[in-house]
């Protein structure tokens, strides 16, 4: 398995283009199942999860074409299979998103129950309860959710917990339901808005995306459309934290700064000078040591749980003590033990980590446990003395488009090494999709 080798101590300088958002790209690609006409999606990130989503669509019978500029065209006219298998769902939990579209257009879907997850139990009860309210029937057989429906109908749904993919699944299903659906306590994430924009472009009738109440008037069919997905705000936030941690000066390009407000506020509190333009954010730390910040994760517009590990790492070398409270996932602190092995001073109390900054981290061999934890370890390597080796980096490839190339572009000393000891080239890292 590949490893990342990082030699710390080099402040990051320069600018980096941010890729399309993974969490927009996945639901939007899957939304192609709602129409018999082609959906063209541009700014698709080059990620393992995207490969998995395209593989899933292909297995269902959709025709998938990808061009050099990372534009994907999915034609789901002929869908011959309605089953998302265990091997796919196990590698990508977002596969659950096929449930709503398949039920709405074909009246049937079988999706493997997602198993355990590194960051917590991640139930799907809200997806199922919402789809039941829309008229679907559910059974369970051999570890598979068996869902059927004659014709979905509109319903008034209150979601007990704010769920991003839960909201997306129901929103997609409701586009083809008969009548009006209201989703209350809906997720307000920018990726939900991006999906709604794409669905409206396909002829859906959705209002209120980006607020806690989404209203969907069902239509008879959706048509073809071309959509460009928004930038990945978590990738952008990760490079900005890398700039802050190394005392550097980093500009992220092709982003929507309005989607980064909660993260920018914390970076500002940490002592960074932040400026923004229409589609860029510049962070300048002027060689200063960051100050500790207090963070509590929350659904959008709150501080994203997907940035928790990175900001915890920032606190680990900052001046003072900061608290990091995780409110979304129960087991999302696996990076703490690895950071402690690098010399971080972190005391856990339930779902809060109290982090007292140390003067410097020490390089070590560490193991990535999930996507964002592995990004946090790569950033820790940038500020550590000597060399850090990060193992099991397949997690990082699920969500970061060529992280070592982009960090190198900013002046980091980071290399990917194959098991055999050879340095990997970009083109060999990913299978063609
Ligand atoms: C999405 C994102 C993920 C992000 C997370 C929270 C995608 C593909 N993934 O994941 O990167 O970390 O939002 O911002 O968009 N819950 C229930 N019942 C359910 C569903 C969820 O109780 O049926 C709970 C979860 O346990 C969790 C909370 O709701 O505590 C939020 O989870 P959710 O928003 O559903 O996460 P995902 O959509 O899986």
């Amino acid at each position: 398995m590949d490893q990342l080798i990082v030699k710390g101590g080099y402040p990051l300088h320069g600018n980096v283009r941010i890729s399309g958002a993974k969490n927009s790209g996945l639901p939007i690609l899957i939304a192609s199942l709602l129409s018999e006409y082609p959906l063209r999606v541009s700014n698709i990130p080059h990620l393992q999860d995207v490969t998995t989503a395209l593989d899933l669509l292909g297995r269902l019978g959709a025709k998938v074409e990808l061009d050099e500029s990372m534009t994907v065209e999915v034609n789901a006219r002929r869908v011959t299979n309605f089953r998302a298998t265990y091997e796919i769902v196990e590698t990508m939990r977002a596969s659950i998103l096929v449930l709503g579209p398949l039920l709405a257009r074909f009246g049937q879907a079988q999706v493997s129950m997602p198993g355990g997850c590194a960051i917590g139990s991640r139930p799907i009860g809200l997806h199922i309860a919402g789809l039941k309210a829309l008229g679907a029937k559910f059974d369970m057989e051999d570890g598979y959710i068996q869902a059927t429906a004659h014709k979905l109908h509109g319903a008034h749904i209150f979601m007990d917990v704010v769920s991003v993919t839960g909201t997306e699944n129901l929103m997609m299903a409701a586009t083809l339901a008969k009548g009006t659906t209201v989703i209350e306590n809906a997720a307000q994430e920018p990726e939900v808005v991006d999906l709604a924009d794409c669905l409206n472009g396909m002829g859906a009738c959705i209002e209120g995306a980006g607020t806690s109440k989404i209203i969907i008037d069902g239509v008879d069919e959706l048509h073809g459309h071309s959509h460009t997905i928004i930038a990945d705000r978590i990738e952008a936030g990760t490079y900005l934290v890398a700039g802050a941690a190394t005392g550097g000066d980093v500009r992220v390009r092709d982003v929507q700064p309005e989607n980064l407000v909660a993260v920018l506020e914390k970076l500002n509190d940490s002592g960074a000078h932040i400026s923004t333009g229409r589609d860029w954010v510049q962070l300048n730390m002027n060689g200063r040591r960051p100050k500790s910040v207090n963070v509590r994760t929350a659904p959008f517009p709150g501080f994203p749980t997907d940035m928790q590990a990175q900001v915890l790492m920032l606190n680990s070398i900052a001046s003072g003590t900061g608290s990091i409270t995780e409110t979304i996932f129960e087991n999302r602190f696996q990076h703490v033990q690895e950071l402690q092995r690098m010399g971080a001073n972190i005391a856990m109390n339930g779902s809060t980590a109290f982090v007292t900054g140390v003067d410097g981290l020490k390089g070590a061999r560490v193991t990535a446990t999930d996507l964002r934890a592995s990004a946090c370890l790569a950033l820790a390597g940038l500020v550590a003395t000597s060399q850090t080796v990060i193992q099991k980096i397949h997690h990082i490839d699920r969500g970061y488009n060529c992280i070592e190339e982009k960090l190198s572009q900013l002046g980091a000393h980071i290399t990917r090494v194959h098991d055999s000891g050879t340095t990997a080239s970009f083109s060999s890292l990913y299978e063609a999709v």
Side-chain angles (χ1 to χ4, degrees):
M1 216 169 273
D2 292 353
Q3 300 177 338
L4 283 179
I5 300 185
V6 192
K7 196 160 167 254
Y10 300 91
L12 301 192
H13 294 289
N15 70 78
V16 63
R17 183 186 182 271
I18 298 304
S19 304
K22 168 176 89 70
N23 289 352
S24 273
L26 299 180
I28 286 173
L29 287 172
I30 289 173
S32 64
L33 292 170
L34 286 162
S35 171
E36 60 177 287
Y37 302 101
L39 177 65
R40 276 176 72 78
V41 190
S42 303
N43 201 25
I44 281 287
H46 203 167
L47 299 174
Q48 191 54 51
D49 271 11
V50 168
T51 309
T52 307
L54 296 179
D55 182 22
L56 171 59
L57 290 167
R59 286 175 191 224
L60 297 178
K63 204 170 139 222
V64 175
E65 280 172 24
L66 171 62
D67 72 21
E68 303 262 302
S69 63
M70 293 309 283
T71 294
V72 179
E73 181 170 301
V74 186
N75 186 333
R77 176 183 293 273
R78 279 189 201 86
V79 171
T80 46
N81 176 20
F82 307 98
R83 195 174 176 86
T85 60
Y86 178 70
E87 66 172 305
I88 293 264
V89 180
E90 184 195 31
T91 46
M92 190 186 69
R93 301 178 61 83
S95 312
I96 189 75
L97 285 166
V98 300
L99 207 47
L102 286 179
L103 268 173
R105 183 159 157 229
F106 303 101
Q108 58 170 312
Q110 299 104 42
V111 179
S112 170
M113 263 306 272
C117 176
I119 60 174
S121 62
R122 302 188 79 171
I124 52 161
L126 291 168
H127 300 236
I128 291 178
L131 291 167
K132 274 187 180 166
L134 295 174
K137 296 211 172 351
F138 284 86
D139 220 335
M140 184 73 149
E141 215 170 274
D142 296 334
Y144 278 76
I145 301 159
Q146 314 267 350
T148 50
H150 285 304
K151 170 81 184 158
L152 296 179
H153 53 73
H156 200 120
I157 300 166
F158 180 87
M159 303 192 73
D160 286 341
V161 179
V162 176
S163 165
V164 177
T165 48
T167 301
E168 292 167 344
N169 227 339
L170 300 183
M171 190 166 76
M172 287 193 280
T175 58
L176 293 180
K178 190 170 167 49
T180 301
T181 298
V182 179
I183 306 175
E184 305 245 29
N185 200 27
Q188 301 175 42
E189 267 65 5
E191 294 77 18
V192 174
V193 179
D194 203 21
L195 173 64
D197 286 346
C198 177
L199 291 168
N200 282 339
M202 294 166 74
C205 198
I206 302 171
E207 275 180 21
T211 74
S212 62
K213 183 172 177 175
I214 302 179
I215 302 166
I216 305 122
D217 283 323
V219 296
D220 289 339
E221 66 165 11
L222 297 182
H223 48 70
H225 179 56
S226 291
H227 183 82
T228 301
I229 62 171
I230 57 171
D232 197 311
R233 63 196 164 99
I234 306 301
E235 190 197 20
T238 302
Y239 288 109
L240 291 173
V241 170
T246 59
D249 180 6
V250 167
R251 178 181 285 220
V252 289
R253 291 186 278 119
D254 292 351
V255 298
Q256 289 78 38
E258 63 275 18
N259 294 341
L260 279 156
V261 171
V263 172
L264 297 185
E265 209 168 287
K266 291 300 169 188
L267 286 169
N268 187 56
D269 292 350
S270 80
H273 180 258
I274 307 277
S275 46
T276 58
R278 189 183 56 81
D279 63 354
W280 55 265
V281 177
Q282 175 100 27
L283 171 141
N284 192 347
M285 207 65 191
N286 283 321
R288 289 189 305 271
R289 182 182 184 187
K291 291 181 275 187
S292 287
V293 291
N294 297 323
V295 165
R296 189 179 175 84
T297 63
F300 193 86
F303 190 92
T305 173
D306 287 350
M307 283 297 301
Q308 180 258 100
Q310 299 89 316
V311 82
L312 189 149
M313 179 268 145
L314 184 67
N315 272 358
S316 75
I317 47 101
S319 58
T321 300
S323 66
I324 308 280
T325 303
E326 173 58 54
T327 73
I328 310 287
F329 293 115
E330 76 249 29
N331 193 25
R332 205 170 201 180
F333 279 117
Q334 296 191 21
H335 39 289
V336 165
Q337 282 189 349
E338 298 302 288
L339 289 174
Q340 284 168 332
R341 295 184 52 247
M342 296 176 74
N345 180 355
I346 305 167
M348 291 302 304
N349 185 359
S351 56
T352 299
F354 293 95
V355 190
T356 301
V358 293
D359 288 340
L361 297 175
K362 298 186 189 79
R365 181 173 284 270
V366 289
T367 302
T369 46
D370 67 68
L371 168 54
R372 305 305 167 185
S374 45
C376 140
L377 296 176
L379 302 197
L382 299 177
V383 295
T385 54
S386 68
Q387 181 172 283
T388 298
V389 179
I390 304 155
Q391 307 178 139
K392 297 204 178 166
I393 58 157
H394 57 280
H395 294 293
I396 223 167
D397 295 333
R398 288 188 42 226
Y400 290 88
N401 197 346
C402 295
I403 192 165
E404 72 278 16
E405 294 208 352
K406 291 190 179 183
L407 285 172
S408 300
Q409 205 180 308
L410 294 171
H413 289 213
I414 178 168
T415 327
R416 179 185 293 252
V417 172
H418 284 317
D419 233 0
S420 59
T422 54
T423 305
S425 70
F426 170 64
S427 55
S428 65
L429 295 180
Y430 301 92
E431 286 168 30
V433 283

